[in-house]
Amino acid sequence: MALASDLTIALINGLSWGITIALIALGLNLIFGLLEIVNMAHGSLYMLGAVTGWFVVDATGSFFLALLIAPIAVAVIGVVLERVVLRPIEDDISITLIATFGFLLIFQQLALLTFGPGTRTIEAPITATLQFAGLSYSAYRIVVAVVSVLLIALLYAFLFRTRMGMWMRGVRQDLETASALGVPTSQVYMLTFGLGAAFAALAGVLLAPIVSVNHLMGLDILAVAFIVVIVGGLGSLQGVLVASLLYAFLENFGAVFIAPVEARILTLVIMIVFVLLRPDGVFEEGAI
């Protein structure tokens, strides 16, 4: 009975955590898929979302206001970063890697300067627990998973049901033809980077009541996001969703039988083997 309960909790945790990872990694993969920029600062954008959310909640007491303001603020930072810093060097992958890594460090130090070195938390807006089959589970975690699913669905609808989404996919497939047809590639690039940054910040605010908020929290999530992006396939949004769920399920089910640290090591080993067997990712068609 205890094993069944542990497996049930692992299933729910894996599902909710996997969808949330996908929300973060999709922004990273969207930027790479269109701009071919490996954004090392993506974890810091996630951290900035959580830190900005904490400041908004501290000043207004409203979590929902934080959920609105933090993504907009971080999206603006992302647009400025793309337009001012990355645009002139976007054709040189190694330079963009160094530049985005530099901004990862800059954002960390700015958060350290304003937020401090300590760890803080945001009170969850929903404190109820769900009771089922003799188990108790946080209702807020379920809400986070549902909201993440809705946001991912909105992203897909935006990409495949709007003119801007069509332009983004067109630029991804053939930049020169898209430009010749009058697609405003400059605006498409800015929107893509801003959208990826906003998704990272949204995830940061949503997860702030679950994880500890501190200036280094972007590093751990950056490593996980890169792993699922590589396993899912560079530029493949569908592959990232599958890889995120695979990663979360492996880690959570593994932790039922072995220590959490051992479960994470085993998960990483399995993901590496997966990459070796399928270097192009989960799906053969990798483009958005």
Side-chain angles (χ1 to χ4, degrees):
M1 184 63 185
L3 179 60
S5 299
D6 290 343
L7 290 174
T8 303
I9 292 295
L11 176 65
I12 300 172
N13 276 338
L15 186 60
S16 61
W17 180 229
I19 293 171
T20 310
I21 293 174
L23 186 64
I24 303 168
L26 281 174
L28 180 66
N29 214 14
L30 188 65
I31 292 170
F32 178 84
L34 191 68
L35 281 68
E36 296 188 352
I37 290 176
V38 180
N39 182 20
M40 299 295 291
H42 198 72
S44 287
L45 298 175
Y46 160 80
M47 176 274 295
L48 285 179
V51 169
T52 305
W54 183 90
F55 278 118
V56 174
V57 172
D58 188 54
T60 67
S62 173
F63 180 82
F64 299 101
L65 200 57
L67 209 53
L68 177 66
I69 292 176
I72 294 175
V74 176
V76 171
I77 293 173
V79 167
V80 172
L81 179 63
E82 190 280 330
R83 188 69 184 88
V84 177
V85 179
L86 298 177
R87 183 72 62 86
I89 57 174
E90 63 184 6
D91 294 330
D92 192 325
I93 293 178
S94 59
I95 298 298
T96 57
L97 265 174
I98 295 171
T100 54
F101 183 73
F103 272 93
L104 179 149
L105 300 177
I106 290 171
F107 291 146
Q108 272 187 6
Q109 295 307 307
L110 286 175
L112 177 62
L113 188 66
T114 56
F115 187 73
T119 295
R120 306 178 195 184
T121 58
I122 294 177
E123 185 177 349
I126 299 171
T127 56
T129 57
L130 300 177
Q131 307 289 333
F132 58 94
L135 301 174
S136 179
Y137 197 81
S138 166
Y140 179 71
R141 289 176 179 263
I142 300 294
V143 170
V144 170
V146 172
V147 171
S148 298
V149 169
L150 291 175
L151 289 170
I152 292 170
L154 284 174
L155 175 63
Y156 275 86
F158 174 76
L159 288 174
F160 291 94
R161 294 287 186 271
T162 68
R163 174 175 294 183
M164 179 58 79
M166 181 183 68
W167 284 348
M168 291 168 70
R169 290 185 291 115
V171 170
R172 169 68 176 84
Q173 292 171 2
D174 191 331
L175 174 61
E176 293 183 357
T177 301
S179 298
L181 291 174
V183 173
T185 55
S186 178
Q187 288 91 328
V188 168
Y189 283 172
M190 283 194 296
L191 178 67
T192 302
F193 210 97
L195 195 59
F199 265 66
L202 265 173
V205 180
L206 286 170
L207 287 178
I210 300 174
V211 302
S212 299
V213 179
N214 61 73
H215 69 288
L216 296 174
M217 63 185 292
L219 287 177
D220 284 343
I221 204 66
L222 179 66
V224 174
F226 268 115
I227 289 168
V228 299
V229 165
I230 293 170
V231 171
L234 297 172
S236 171
L237 301 188
Q238 298 91 334
V240 166
L241 182 58
V242 173
S244 298
L245 291 170
L246 175 65
Y247 177 92
F249 280 133
L250 284 172
E251 190 172 63
N252 279 278
F253 278 109
V256 174
F257 301 100
I258 55 181
V261 174
E262 295 171 344
R264 173 161 288 195
I265 293 172
L266 179 62
T267 300
L268 293 174
V269 169
I270 293 173
M271 300 296 261
I272 290 171
V273 171
F274 190 94
V275 171
L276 293 174
L277 294 176
R278 293 187 67 89
D280 293 330
V282 175
F283 302 107
E284 291 184 359
E285 297 294 333
I288 294 172

